[in-house]
Amino acid sequence: MPDAEPHAPAGPTVSDDTPPPVQPNKRKRLFLIFAAVIAVAALAYGLHRLIVGDRWVSTDNAYVNAEVAQITPLVAGAVTAVRVSDTQAVRRGQVLVEIDPADARIAVAQAEAQLAQAERRVRQTLATGSALGAQVTGRQADIARARARIITAQADFERAQIDLRRRQALASGGAVSGEELTQARNAFAAAQAGLGVARADLAQANATRGAAEGERAANDALVRGTTVATNPDVLAARARLDQARLDLARTVIRAPFDGVVARRQVQVGQRVAPGAALMSVVPVTQVYVDANYKEVQLADVRPGQPVELTSDLYGDDVMFHGRVAGFSGGTGAAFAVIPAQNASGNWIKVVQRLPVRVTLDPRELAAHPLRLGLSMEATIDTKPR
């Protein structure tokens, strides 16, 4: 009888490579460690937000800006020279453009001639015043002579009147001839006429003196209280001369400050009018940054707080430092060409951005120049120590 086969084990066979089952206590410890790590991370994040995170507000919506000078002529004329080109650095007072000065020089010559004429007229008026004063004195003498003639004529008239009466009394007795009586009558009439002429001469002398006094008064009104230098006509002529000289000086256009030339639009031979844009000068040593922060970031931002900035031009290796100078008067949407009409009824709230002006350290700008429109990243420390 063959041997019986051995019986197979009743349960599943366990391989030698199968790891031993994890003990419940070890699994629990792993969960506790994982939970502790999460708690520590959350606590660290909360502390960071409490101590550091809420202290700094950042934005990458920031750009370099400056008070750009628009170079415009103040006088009209043809351009004779353009001394600069785009991207050229200029110093304050450096000549940028020259305008043909021929017309301005002629205007200066005309103004100088008008000033000389005005001064001559004033001197003539002063001299005329002295002459009119002498005329008034002379007319007073004429009046005195006319009065003396009246006295003489009055005496002749009275004498002729008495002589006529005497002869008329004697003529009735035949003591005086008719011829003598006629002569007496003629003498009386002549004396009477002479008296009338003397009185008319006095009236004429008085009228002449009044006219001379009026002319002197009118002449004095032109120069009273003034000299040749302070006369209104001379002052007006000198003002015209100053204006002409100023227009002549304005034919040479100079840089208002140190900067870089941009957007040159003028060429030699071009005729320009006052106010026409010729070019721009950017003050690269006086640029600032306009950082557009969200309105929810600005609760703790105040003027004077320090700002750290980096530029895409230099990267994170160059750090700029500045200060908050102030806030814009309105958001970008408020100053848009077509402002949002939130009262139309179809409105979705959009977080607005408010430009914050940040001034930069001039020494850092000198070491690492910036240009208008460059992108910046600005971080404000709202709680400086």
Side-chain angles (χ1 to χ4, degrees):
M1 186 174 190
D3 294 336
E5 295 181 359
H7 296 281
T13 304
V14 179
S15 175
D16 293 339
D17 296 335
T18 302
V22 180
Q23 300 296 328
N25 292 334
K26 187 176 181 180
R27 185 183 296 112
K28 186 176 181 180
R29 283 198 304 271
L30 291 175
F31 278 116
L32 290 176
I33 293 172
F34 180 71
V37 170
I38 294 177
V40 170
L43 180 61
Y45 177 77
L47 290 175
H48 174 78
R49 290 286 299 173
L50 180 64
I51 299 174
V52 179
D54 291 340
R55 173 177 176 175
W56 302 89
V57 289
S58 300
T59 183
D60 58 358
N61 189 351
Y63 304 93
V64 179
N65 209 339
E67 302 295 337
V68 179
Q70 294 288 341
I71 305 301
T72 59
L74 297 177
V75 294
V79 176
T80 58
V82 180
R83 303 296 184 184
V84 295
S85 58
D86 277 340
T87 73
Q88 180 178 340
V90 295
R91 305 290 295 179
R92 179 179 180 181
Q94 181 175 340
V95 177
L96 303 178
V97 179
E98 294 180 7
I99 299 175
D100 186 5
D103 294 339
R105 287 173 180 166
I106 294 174
V108 169
Q110 291 176 343
E112 289 175 345
Q114 292 174 357
L115 176 60
Q117 290 177 350
E119 291 176 344
R120 181 173 298 181
R121 285 195 298 268
V122 172
R123 292 191 181 96
Q124 181 179 2
T125 303
L126 292 173
T128 302
S130 300
L132 291 175
Q135 289 181 9
V136 171
T137 303
R139 296 299 176 266
Q140 187 65 35
D142 292 342
I143 292 174
R145 284 194 297 271
R147 287 175 178 172
R149 285 196 295 270
I150 287 178
I151 293 173
T152 302
Q154 183 69 33
D156 293 342
F157 173 76
E158 290 176 356
R159 184 169 57 253
Q161 187 179 30
I162 293 172
D163 189 49
L164 176 61
R165 288 176 181 175
R166 184 183 301 118
R167 280 172 170 69
Q168 286 176 344
L170 295 175
S172 59
V176 176
S177 64
E179 183 179 357
E180 290 180 353
L181 181 61
T182 302
Q183 290 178 351
R185 287 175 178 170
N186 291 338
F188 174 76
Q192 189 176 20
L195 178 61
V197 171
R199 288 173 177 173
D201 290 343
L202 177 61
Q204 183 178 2
N206 285 325
T208 303
R209 184 189 65 178
E213 289 178 345
E215 291 179 2
R216 184 179 65 174
N219 188 82
D220 290 344
L222 297 176
V223 295
R224 184 181 298 115
T226 64
T227 62
V228 175
T230 60
N231 185 267
D233 293 338
V234 174
L235 292 177
R238 184 172 290 112
R240 289 191 291 269
L241 176 58
D242 293 341
Q243 181 65 53
R245 288 173 175 170
L246 182 60
D247 291 341
L248 177 60
R250 285 172 173 172
T251 58
V252 178
I253 302 175
R254 302 178 183 274
F257 43 68
D258 298 349
V260 174
V261 176
R263 294 191 301 175
R264 173 188 147 177
Q265 305 176 32
V266 61
Q267 301 295 334
V268 175
Q270 178 180 348
R271 182 170 183 84
V272 296
L278 305 184
M279 64 185 69
S280 300
V281 176
V282 181
V284 293
T285 59
Q286 302 175 18
V287 298
Y288 51 84
V289 173
D290 282 332
N292 302 302
Y293 280 92
K294 296 179 181 179
E295 55 187 321
V296 296
Q297 295 178 291
L298 299 176
D300 297 326
V301 176
R302 300 290 183 271
Q305 291 175 342
V307 186
E308 294 181 353
L309 306 101
T310 57
S311 170
D312 291 353
L313 177 64
Y314 298 107
D316 296 337
D317 295 336
V318 178
M319 179 71 69
F320 293 90
H321 298 84
R323 293 277 177 180
V324 175
F327 304 89
S328 174
T331 64
F335 291 110
V337 177
I338 304 178
Q341 297 296 325
N342 296 331
S344 60
N346 186 13
W347 176 70
I348 298 176
K349 182 177 181 179
V350 178
V351 177
Q352 301 297 314
R353 289 183 179 270
L354 183 70
V356 178
R357 178 68 54 85
V358 178
T359 57
L360 301 175
D361 188 341
R363 293 172 298 178
E364 295 178 349
L365 281 176
H368 299 89
L370 295 172
R371 292 297 185 265
L372 207 65
L374 291 178
S375 298
M376 304 286 288
E377 183 173 349
T379 302
I380 302 175
D381 186 357
T382 61
K383 298 176 183 178
R385 291 178 293 177

